[in-house]
Amino acid sequence: GKCLGGVLHFDTPRGDVAPGKLRSPTFQQHLARGLSVPRFAAGSSVLGPSLTKAEAIAASFSKHEVRLVVLTDWQLFDTDNVLNRLRSFPGAVLAIGLSTNPPIAADNDIVGLRVGHDDPPGAVARALFGELTVGRRGRGFIGTTAAEEATA
């Protein structure tokens, strides 16, 4: 299939990467830039605007299997209940807590995972890569993903 990926940042649309084909070398360069901290990022703790964008993207790709990975310390200042919105997201959600447990109970399509300083190097990358490769041929070479270990 045509596996797509993209990046949304909390702070700013700078650094966002619209969905594109993961196999494209050009897109991979855009994705690598999107996975770095954007210039002028303020470190906001408001998930709502990015979640709104993710919901719109999911709606525009309704025939695709949609997966959302949220990386945050979960010290959110949203005025609406973004956790309920995550629970109703139209796809699977991997909620990664950076040095904290995600405050969201595991539901059918939500997996919570804590990644901290005591975890081995590459733990976040392993979790992200695991989500990007769910259902893909040849995935077995990476072994068990961090999300699968969290639910085991």
Side-chain angles (χ1 to χ4, degrees):
K2 295 179 179 146
C3 297
L4 308 175
V7 176
L8 300 172
H9 289 273
F10 278 37
D11 307 37
T12 174
R14 287 185 185 173
D16 286 359
V17 179
K21 295 178 185 176
L22 288 175
R23 288 188 171 205
S24 162
T26 302
F27 180 74
Q28 289 173 11
Q29 291 175 347
H30 292 296
L31 195 59
R33 281 193 295 271
L35 290 172
S36 64
V37 177
R39 291 181 63 198
F40 310 112
S44 79
S45 291
V46 179
L47 175 58
S50 296
L51 183 54
T52 298
K53 288 181 195 175
E55 291 163 339
I57 290 169
S60 68
F61 289 93
S62 60
K63 294 182 181 180
H64 286 73
E65 179 181 345
V66 177
R67 309 187 75 76
L68 175 66
V69 179
V70 179
L71 297 100
T72 177
D73 62 6
W74 296 101
Q75 302 294 315
L76 302 175
F77 295 111
D78 291 275
T79 55
D80 65 340
N81 193 339
V82 294
L83 298 182
N84 284 339
R85 289 177 57 199
L86 278 175
R87 286 183 187 96
S88 64
F89 186 79
V93 175
L94 174 58
I96 298 178
L98 302 174
S99 295
T100 187
N101 290 321
I104 192 163
D107 292 334
N108 291 340
D109 286 328
I110 296 180
V111 173
L113 175 67
R114 180 196 175 279
V115 177
H117 298 288
D118 52 341
D119 285 304
V124 171
R126 185 172 171 206
L128 182 59
F129 185 73
E131 285 302 301
L132 289 173
T133 59
V134 167
R136 294 190 67 184
R137 285 185 313 212
R139 179 176 185 257
F141 79 92
I142 66 166
T144 306
T145 66
E148 290 165 339
E149 289 174 7
T151 58

